[in-house]
Amino acid sequence: MESDFVWRKQSVNKPLLRKVHIKLTLLCSGITIAILVIMSIFYLYISETNLYINEIHAFKNRTNTFRTNLEQQTIISHEWLLATEVENDCYIELRDNGEDFLFNHRIEHTKRNEIFNTARDNFSSPIINKKQSFEIEATFLYQKQTYVAYLGTFQNKMNQLEYLIIFNTARIEHQIVHQRYIFLGINIVAAIVLFLFSYYFTRHLLHPIRISQENQNQFVACASHELRTPLAVILSCSSAGMKATTEEKNDFLQTIESEGMRMTRLVNDMLLLAKTDNHTLTIKKDLHEPDTLLLNSFEAFEPFAKEKKIKLLISLPDEMIEPCMMDKDRISQVLAILIHNALSYTPINGMVTLSITHSAKYIEYSVADTGIGIPDTKKKEIFKRFYRISEARTDNSHSGLGLSIAFEIVQTHHGSIRVFDTPGGGSTFIVTLPKYV
Ligand code: ADP
């Protein structure tokens, strides 16, 4: 049966990652929102202070204009004062020797009188009868509203009078409240945007960890799956061996030994991959002749090729290739994986050709077979751990880790490994290694 070895999605550590994701989102958005709020409050404070100062400045200017006008008037009429009040949005009271002058005595208005009385209460020293003209300012509260009052004297052509001008700050307060609402709205929208941004940003940040964790989980699942088979065979052989005859016992022991060796290989392969993951794989680079290495691998696999009735050929360049920096054992391991695969996936009477070429900086090993070939869609997949195009076609020496190990070893040598179709059918693996890195 032909079936793809499917990597199962694991969800073992998903709750943990989700917790980390939520915590990171809250931390990220919390900090940025806190900074935003602090900055907004700071801005509002400055803006409100400026608004208030400007408005007070405007009150003061209006009072000065009013005072100048008063000083120039020969006749101060009730209509003029009324028009000035409306124009400047204020209350005006004029007094002569403590008595209402011209304007206020005509108007019976309790609220107005109360405001004037409250304002006067806020000026500490009485100023009546002072000969020199002056002006003082006070701020007071009346019915929860803030007022600014200016009390002063002026000398016009006729006599010296006292004036009291009161401005209501409700307009600024309204402006300030309006501005606060706008900022509140902006901050709420910004907080939502920042939260969403943090959510997606941290998710993106955690993506490699999630992938690595999933890979790790898949690796453990595949490893236990692979180890379970030889273990089951060993256990059944040992229990059957106990009741078997001496002759049968030998067969069972042989199977136990071969399955034990398979497990050892598998565990060694997994340890090697774990070391490459932790970057603890030791590479002992030295100067070695790359063609001699290929020749040794060729000789090692000749009997196996003969047994499988496959023609194993080697093509070496005429001139000697100078020694290159490499870990002899690891590169031999890569060649062994490729040659073993080529011989395993090539049918009887097929051919496997080993060759080496070189340039100034690189050497290139090639293992070409006339075997079953690898579909284009699987050419990337085969370098994944435990990936097998078809489990049915291999013997128990194939666990699906060979090419991933070859890939990691080549990577640690700063090289590359690629696969192409052999012209006429089959696969060709090319390993490129730098000569001196
Ligand atoms: P395995 O131990 O199963 O050979 P590898 O990692 O070495 O694992 O190879 C992964 C898969 O790639 C194999 O199961 C096989 O399907 C495919 N493969 C590898 N080499 C060849 C080859 N020379 N020809 C055809 N298929 C191959």
Side-chain angles (χ1 to χ4, degrees), residues 337-338 341-342 345-346 369 371-374 382-384 387-390 394 397-404 427 429:
I337 290 167
L338 297 181
N341 276 351
Y345 300 107
T346 300
D369 63 54
I372 57 172
I374 299 164
I382 54 170
F383 294 98
K384 284 184 181 169
Y387 186 89
R388 278 174 284 192
I389 296 176
S390 162
T394 53
S397 63
H398 290 269
S399 59
L401 287 180
L403 286 178
S404 52
S427 316
F429 283 85

Side-chain angles (χ1 to χ4, degrees), residues 224-270:
S224 36
H225 171 80
E226 288 297 322
L227 286 170
R228 212 181 296 135
T229 318
L231 262 178
V233 175
I234 288 172
L235 287 175
S236 69
C237 280
S238 55
S239 74
M242 280 183 232
K243 299 162 211 156
T245 60
T246 326
E247 221 169 274
E248 284 169 339
K249 258 185 189 148
N250 276 344
D251 287 345
F252 284 129
L253 283 176
Q254 262 177 16
T255 315
I256 289 172
E257 191 191 18
S258 114
E259 290 302 309
M261 274 159 62
R262 180 183 168 190
M263 282 180 72
T264 311
R265 264 198 316 272
L266 201 64
V267 171
N268 285 341
D269 285 353
M270 289 194 295

Side-chain angles (χ1 to χ4, degrees), residues 100-152:
D100 280 353
F101 176 80
L102 179 70
F103 182 61
N104 297 296
H105 70 281
R106 297 188 203 172
I107 299 164
E108 286 303 324
H109 198 304
T110 354
K111 185 189 169 190
R112 184 188 174 90
N113 289 340
E114 271 175 22
I115 291 174
F116 282 120
N117 291 338
T118 319
R120 283 185 185 282
D121 291 346
N122 278 274
F123 291 107
S124 45
S125 57
I127 56 154
I128 302 154
N129 295 331
K130 287 194 176 173
K131 288 287 167 217
Q132 284 167 344
S133 60
F134 71 100
E135 185 182 85
I136 51 173
E137 180 189 314
T139 306
F140 65 95
L141 269 178
Y142 174 75
Q143 289 183 351
K144 291 183 185 167
Q145 284 199 354
T146 310
Y147 291 84
V148 180
Y150 296 90
L151 180 65

Side-chain angles (χ1 to χ4, degrees), residues 7-14 210-224:
W7 287 59
R8 276 180 297 139
K9 281 225 164 197
Q10 302 290 311
S11 57
V12 185
N13 276 319
K14 271 194 176 163
R210 191 176 288 119
I211 296 284
S212 130
Q213 205 157 43
E214 266 174 20
N215 284 346
Q216 223 166 29
N217 293 338
Q218 284 160 359
F219 186 76
V220 172
C222 292
S224 36

